[in-house]
Amino acid sequence: MTATPGFGNNLVYLSALIQRRFTQVCADHDLTNAQAQLLCLVKDRPHGMSELGRLLGLAKPGMTGLVDRTERRGLVQRGSSEHDRRACTVSSTPLGKRIGDALYADVAARLPDIADHLPPADRQLLEELVAAVIATTSGPCRADDLPER
Amino acid sequence: MTATPGFGNNLVYLSALIQRRFTQVCADHDLTNAQAQLLCLVKDRPHGMSELGRLLGLAKPGMTGLVDRTERRGLVQRGSSEHDRRACTVSSTPLGKRIGDALYADVAARLPDIADHLPPADRQLLEELVAAVIATTSGPCRADDLPER
DNA sequence: TATTGTTATACTCTATAACTATA
DNA sequence: TATAGTTATAGAGTATAACAATA
């Protein structure tokens, strides 16, 4: 039971606000949301395709397409795995690393805008609570892995 | 300046969590995210196309396509405006109203899951802060309307 | 046999440009 | 001329099914 009426729907609304702001920041770096999130994941170290699919909530064909498009733009590259010749890793190119770092910094600078109208104390609380929700929630995963109703 | 390091990127991460949970709830009602949001807007009263585009952050051709697809499924219908023969209104069909109401209730019931791991007092605070952010933020709008960097 | 990733296919979503009809 | 909405076109994202190569 939730005390605040409409909390669930408020979350969806809040998510739309964040998403729209994020899309705008991505566009300023000439990135789509999906390519931006991929880049942020691989900019510091390579990841396997399956791992990325799990983190991004994408099935295998979705990952293939996303990496295809991002690789075509010269931002990431596929490499072969050490121990499994079926697998491949995705890492950032120098250009991708630069753009990924710039995007990450810009997100940190501009996304907090959405809480600008809160009093400082409330905003501080919100920052802590958001961090707590993220910390206590198992990371993004396939929709299939989330609990049923 | 933000006190909590990574607040901006935490917001993007939180948004992804919410979005994924919402997509799952929509899918259980056989709706896409965009169709679900359209339905929730028109289920109680008709809206004009331009107004919907502004609320959903969609340009005119995007609205035409979304309403086309949703109308094809029998969930909404176009009507003609009283005073302007260029304009049209979008309202829900009885089926669309039923599905929209059910979706809305299900979102209210299931989205709060993401805060389940918070202590009750923190969760209550989060509910209030989310409501405050939404209340103080001008509603969803075209990305063009958001402040530049 | 099971798993990794790709290909094929289809549909939704979103953007821009050009257009029609009305104001 | 300006506005409401549509059509045309294109690319991105996401899903399922079938497949190839490797484990």
Side-chain angles (χ1 to χ4, degrees):
Chain A
M1 180 57 196
T2 292
T4 307
F7 177 52
N9 285 280
N10 281 353
L11 284 176
V12 174
Y13 191 96
L14 174 69
S15 171
L17 288 180
I18 296 170
Q19 213 60 54
R20 214 161 291 175
R21 192 85 180 106
F22 179 58
T23 296
Q24 187 186 23
V25 174
C26 291
D28 287 343
H29 293 262
D30 199 26
L31 291 171
T32 66
N33 283 21
Q35 290 175 18
Q37 300 201 69
L38 171 62
L39 207 48
C40 282
L41 283 173
V42 304
K43 76 188 179 64
D44 293 320
R45 69 171 185 83
H47 290 258
M49 292 285 281
S50 311
E51 189 185 5
L52 290 171
R54 190 170 43 74
L55 292 169
L56 293 170
L58 288 178
K60 289 186 292 182
M63 275 310 308
T64 296
L66 177 57
V67 171
D68 281 352
R69 291 184 295 272
T70 314
E71 191 171 36
R72 207 178 299 139
R73 296 185 48 184
L75 305 179
V76 300
Q77 58 200 348
R78 284 177 169 90
S80 41
S81 163
E82 301 274 310
H83 305 301
D84 188 337
R85 276 162 42 202
R86 293 169 304 180
C88 70
T89 62
V90 182
S91 55
S92 64
T93 62
L95 173 63
K97 167 69 172 160
R98 271 204 308 282
I99 294 181
D101 283 340
L103 174 84
Y104 192 90
D106 212 11
V107 165
R110 295 166 66 190
L111 261 291
D113 287 3
I114 69 157
D116 269 355
H117 297 288
L118 290 186
D122 285 357
R123 180 194 164 122
Q124 174 62 30
L125 265 176
L126 180 64
E127 295 184 7
E128 289 165 8
L129 288 170
V130 168
V133 167
I134 289 178
T136 57
T137 306
S138 63
C141 49
R142 292 302 314 283
D144 313 335
D145 301 334
L146 289 170
E148 282 299 309
R149 83 176 55 199
Chain B
M1 180 54 194
T2 293
T4 306
F7 177 53
N9 284 280
N10 282 354
L11 284 176
V12 174
Y13 191 96
L14 174 69
S15 171
L17 288 179
I18 296 171
Q19 212 60 54
R20 215 161 291 176
R21 191 85 180 106
F22 180 59
T23 296
Q24 187 186 24
V25 174
C26 291
D28 287 343
H29 294 261
D30 200 25
L31 291 170
T32 65
N33 284 22
Q35 290 176 17
Q37 301 201 67
L38 172 61
L39 207 48
C40 284
L41 283 174
V42 304
K43 75 188 180 62
D44 293 320
R45 68 171 185 85
H47 290 258
M49 292 284 281
S50 310
E51 190 185 1
L52 290 171
R54 191 171 41 75
L55 291 169
L56 293 169
L58 286 178
K60 289 187 292 184
M63 275 310 308
T64 296
L66 177 58
V67 171
D68 281 352
R69 289 184 297 272
T70 315
E71 191 171 35
R72 207 178 298 138
R73 296 185 48 184
L75 304 179
V76 301
Q77 57 198 348
R78 284 178 169 88
S80 41
S81 164
E82 302 274 310
H83 305 301
D84 187 337
R85 278 163 41 203
R86 293 169 304 180
C88 71
T89 61
V90 182
S91 56
S92 63
T93 62
L95 173 62
K97 168 69 172 161
R98 274 204 307 283
I99 294 182
D101 284 340
L103 174 84
Y104 193 90
D106 213 8
V107 165
R110 297 165 65 189
L111 260 290
D113 288 4
I114 68 158
D116 268 355
H117 296 288
L118 290 185
D122 285 356
R123 182 197 163 117
Q124 175 61 29
L125 264 178
L126 178 64
E127 295 184 7
E128 289 165 9
L129 288 170
V130 167
V133 167
I134 289 177
T136 57
T137 307
S138 62
C141 50
R142 294 300 316 283
D144 314 335
D145 301 334
L146 287 171
E148 283 298 310
R149 79 174 61 203

